[in-house]
Each structure stands twice: as structure tokens, then as C-alpha cells.
Amino acid sequence: MENIMLNENYKYGSVKIMNCHSFFLYLFTCLTLIGISPTNLQANEELAPFVVWSGQGGSDGGIDRELFLWNGNSIQQITENGGSDLYSQISGSNVVSFQKGGSDAGPDSEIFFWNGTSLQQITENNDYDISPQISGNIVVWESRSAGKRGIDAEIFLWNSTTNQTQQITDNDYNDNSPQVSGNNVVWYGNPGDDPEIFFWNGSSIQQITDNDYNDYDPQISSNNVVWWRDKYKCERKCKKCKCKKCPDKPKPCGFLEIEENAEILFWNGTTK
């Protein structure tokens, strides 16, 4: 089995691996042991063995985080700036992340895209653009409006081929954690008392779930969607929670009574 030595003069030091399959875990372990603590280490499932991560240091020796990519032979530093580049994701040779500040060095965060050659800032606004995901030439993320941070997040999509941005959702509640596969996008939103799962097929939005439980964190591959569901009798309130089925029986703050074990659900585009 061939050994591959990664050796660059940055703070992450040298890493030796046995093969591409062990690299993801081995690199994370080695970087952590030498005190670098890489974040969002992402292996490329479409074009192995590309791997991308966010690490402290880089060629400028700063304390902010930069993006690094391993192409199977060597490590390349993608970013070099004064802001922290976070939450790196990869598809093919394309990488997406968000950076605190962006070109205007504001308090918000912006989305950046790397096409294997150059870095492009996708967003430039006063909003908090976070949690980007990528599939081929399609990038999605959630954006929290300045002044409404944590109150109303919307889902956006950008096509690197056309360089066009599209707002997918436009409502008065939070839409979170978008995931993308091809032109299909999935996320969870909270239109009522509990989160529900939503699906966008490139032209229209479909609400997949409609129940009294908490549906979270969907993942998607083609038209197939999975997510997990919390099933509680009570919901959290500011100072107390009340059972949905018996609202006359308030519970202490933070008390959650489990009705059933959490479930994993699957939807194939037609049934679930």
C-alpha cells in the first residue's frame, strides 16, 4: 500500500497517510494533535481524493482561518486574507465557504466560491450569509437579514455557470440548513409551532411534512430525501412549556417529555 506524504511549510505540518480512504480521519486526527483544530474537513465523494478544510495560520501566519485543499498529491492554500474562512464544502473541484466580513470588512458574513483556479465572492450585502452547500455548479445558503438576525432566515441559490442568484424562499419565518443535489434543494422551515421539511425542484416549493412534530436537518440525493424527527408531548416556551394535548398542565421551563423515540424518515419524491 503506497504511502503519501503531505509536507508544506504552514502551521498544519506534515501528515502521512496509508491511502485515500483513511486520509479523511487521519488528517483530522493529525492536525488536531498538533494543535491546529481544522474545521469542516470535507472529503470529495465525486472526485476522490480531493479534500478541503478550514485551518488556522496559513502563509501569512495570521490567527484567522484559511481554506486548504489536498488534490491527492499536494496541499494548496485557497484563501489568504484577514477574515476567517469557515464551513468549507466541496463538489468536484469547486469549493464554497463563508467568511466573516467579506470585501467590505463588515460585521456580517459573505459566501465565497472557488472554481479550482480563482476565488469569487458571491454575496456582498449587510446580511448574515451562512451554511453554504454545493452540488456541481449550484450553491445554496441561508441568509439572515441584518436587524433580524435569528428571526427570519431565507434560502438563496447561485448558479456559477450563469452567475445568477435566486431567492428561493420569501416568508416571515426561519428557513434553515439547505442541502442541494443537482437542481433540487431541501431544507427545514418553521411556519407554525414546529419545523417542517420543504423541497424545491428547480421551479416550485413543495412542503413534504405537515404534522405536530419537529422535523429537522434533511439530506438529499437526487429526488431522495431523509431527515430526523423529534416526537415530544411538550414544546419549549419562554418561562414554561405546555403540553399540546393538555395545555392546562404547564411544565417547568426546559421540560420536554418524550412521547416516542426519534425517527429517521425517507421521501422519494412521491411517498414517505
Side-chain angles (χ1 to χ4, degrees):
M1 196 174 290
E2 181 181 1
N3 289 337
I4 302 175
M5 177 66 73
L6 307 182
N7 190 1
E8 295 287 346
N9 296 321
Y10 302 143
K11 289 187 178 180
Y12 43 74
S14 300
V15 180
K16 188 175 183 179
I17 64 174
M18 296 294 290
N19 54 43
C20 295
H21 298 289
S22 64
F23 175 72
F24 186 81
L25 177 60
Y26 196 95
L27 178 60
F28 185 87
T29 303
C30 291
L31 296 179
T32 302
L33 287 174
I34 63 176
I36 301 308
S37 300
T39 60
N40 296 106
L41 190 66
Q42 294 292 320
N44 188 349
E45 299 177 356
E46 303 166 16
L47 189 62
F50 277 37
V51 181
V52 66
W53 69 92
S54 174
Q56 195 174 38
S59 56
D60 61 1
I63 61 173
D64 59 310
R65 290 190 174 272
E66 307 290 359
L67 296 186
F68 301 90
L69 180 137
W70 183 69
N71 62 9
N73 296 299
S74 61
I75 294 177
Q76 178 180 358
Q77 182 174 336
I78 299 175
T79 62
E80 184 177 356
N81 50 58
S84 284
D85 300 283
L86 306 169
Y87 207 83
S88 54
Q89 302 288 314
I90 189 170
S91 177
S93 59
N94 297 329
V95 177
V96 69
S97 67
F98 78 86
Q99 181 194 113
K100 294 181 179 179
S103 59
D104 59 2
D108 56 322
S109 53
E110 306 292 356
I111 306 297
F112 286 78
F113 172 79
W114 189 75
N115 63 7
T117 305
S118 59
L119 189 68
Q120 177 180 353
Q121 182 173 334
I122 299 175
T123 63
E124 187 172 359
N125 51 55
N126 294 323
D127 300 330
Y128 294 86
D129 301 301
I130 60 173
S131 305
Q133 296 288 326
I134 186 169
S135 176
N137 64 323
I138 302 296
V139 177
V140 296
W141 66 93
E142 66 175 87
S143 180
R144 300 176 181 271
S145 300
K148 293 184 177 181
R149 191 176 183 186
I151 298 177
D152 184 16
E154 304 294 352
I155 306 300
F156 285 78
L157 177 148
W158 178 76
N159 188 318
S160 66
T161 303
T162 62
N163 197 29
Q164 296 295 313
T165 299
Q166 179 178 357
Q167 182 172 345
I168 297 178
T169 64
D170 186 8
N171 49 55
D172 58 358
Y173 54 83
N174 275 334
D175 298 289
N176 303 109
S177 300
Q179 300 287 323
V180 59
S181 178
N183 292 317
N184 296 329
V185 183
V186 68
W187 66 94
Y188 73 88
N190 201 333
D193 293 330
D194 54 275
E196 306 290 355
I197 305 299
F198 294 83
F199 173 82
W200 188 73
N201 62 6
S203 59
S204 60
I205 296 175
Q206 178 180 354
Q207 182 172 336
I208 298 177
T209 64
D210 186 8
N211 52 60
D212 293 330
Y213 301 118
N214 300 322
D215 298 292
Y216 289 115
D217 301 329
Q219 299 289 319
I220 185 170
S221 177
S222 186
N223 291 321
N224 300 315
V225 180
V226 295
W227 67 94
W228 72 280
R229 173 178 293 168
D230 269 344
K231 304 186 77 173
Y232 294 122
K233 285 184 178 179
C234 298
E235 60 180 348
R236 189 184 298 271
K237 297 295 183 181
C238 181
K239 294 183 178 179
K240 62 185 178 181
C241 69
K242 296 181 179 180
C243 292
K244 291 183 179 180
K245 295 182 179 180
C246 26
D248 58 327
K249 297 180 180 179
K251 302 290 184 181
C253 180
F255 181 90
L256 291 176
E257 184 177 348
I258 299 177
E259 185 175 85
E260 297 179 26
N261 292 331
E263 298 176 338
I264 303 296
L265 291 97
F266 169 80
W267 182 77
N268 63 6
T270 56
T271 60
K272 61 179 184 293

